[in-house]
Structure formats: C-alpha cells, structure tokens
Amino acid sequence: MTDAKPARAVLVVDDDRDLREVVADVVEGSGRRVFTAGDGADALHQLDTDGFPRPCVVLLDWFMRPMGGRAFLEGLGARADAAEFRVLLLSASIATPHQDLSFPVSGILQKPFGIEELLDALDQLG
C-alpha cells in the first residue's frame, strides 16, 4: 500500500476551446475536479493561485499560442512544487518531442483520442 494521494484534480490546457471543453466535460464526468486554461501562460498563472489542488494531472496540448507546451514544461519544471504534477501531452503531430524536455512527461495521447483512452490514461496516472 502507498501513501501517495491519487490525483483527483486535472488541469486541461489547450488553445482549442471546443476540444478543451469536451475534454473537461469527460474528465469531470469521471468524478475528477477540472480546471481549464487556454495556453501555457494561463495554466502557470492558475497554478500560482491560492487553493489550486495538488497533486494534479495536467493534460497539455503541445502546439499552442502564445505559450506552447515546451515553454509551459520549462516553467513547471522551475517550480518548487513540480513533483506534485504529472503531465500527459496531447498532440495531433506524430513528431511530438518527448525527449530532452525540462520536465518529464508521463505519456502522450495522440489526437484524435477516444474517451476510454483518455480515462484509461488518467486512471494510470492516479
């Protein structure tokens, strides 16, 4: 048995509003608490707000503007509480980099992905 608390909070970071809302609805329907952000800068700002839950899984779109996935991971990796976050990349590109990142990612979900695939990935992350 482990003392680690499962991540019941999920931050969905995607610049595609429609996809962000659909993913948030699915995640919320699984009983998790959901937060959303339109890009990496918005997400980092939210992490700084009082009361943002930890541990947390971040569903991170790789290609966003103005702050994309790589810059978000650099900012996340510089945080003192970085160990409390697990990141799952979301990308339509088969060329998504996953090596030499400043923050280790837990996996990649290739867009388009199914509901069961998303929920299975979240269950595996805690």
Side-chain angles (χ1 to χ4, degrees):
M1 201 175 267
T2 179
D3 291 333
K5 296 187 297 186
R8 299 306 300 170
V10 176
L11 174 59
V12 180
V13 186
D14 200 308
D15 59 349
D16 180 329
R17 186 186 76 226
D18 293 337
L19 180 60
R20 186 174 65 239
E21 290 175 2
V22 167
V23 169
D25 287 346
V26 169
V27 172
E28 188 173 50
S30 74
R32 293 170 172 90
R33 192 168 170 196
V34 179
F35 301 85
T36 62
D39 70 83
D42 183 19
L44 289 172
H45 174 73
Q46 287 191 45
L47 298 181
D48 286 334
T49 60
D50 289 337
F52 194 92
R54 286 153 177 85
C56 181
V57 172
V58 179
L59 300 178
L60 178 66
D61 183 24
W62 187 245
F63 296 106
M64 295 180 288
R65 291 185 187 255
M67 181 189 276
R70 182 175 297 275
F72 171 81
L73 291 177
E74 289 170 1
L76 184 63
R79 297 175 60 91
D81 61 351
E84 297 185 63
F85 299 92
R86 289 177 300 287
V87 177
L88 183 64
L89 293 181
L90 310 176
S91 180
S93 171
I94 59 171
T96 303
H98 58 293
Q99 296 177 354
D100 302 322
L101 296 175
S102 58
F103 187 88
V105 298
S106 299
I108 300 173
L109 269 182
Q110 195 73 38
K111 293 178 184 178
F113 49 83
I115 292 172
E116 290 303 319
E117 188 177 4
L118 172 61
L119 295 177
D120 287 347
L122 287 173
D123 288 344
Q124 289 176 14
L125 292 175

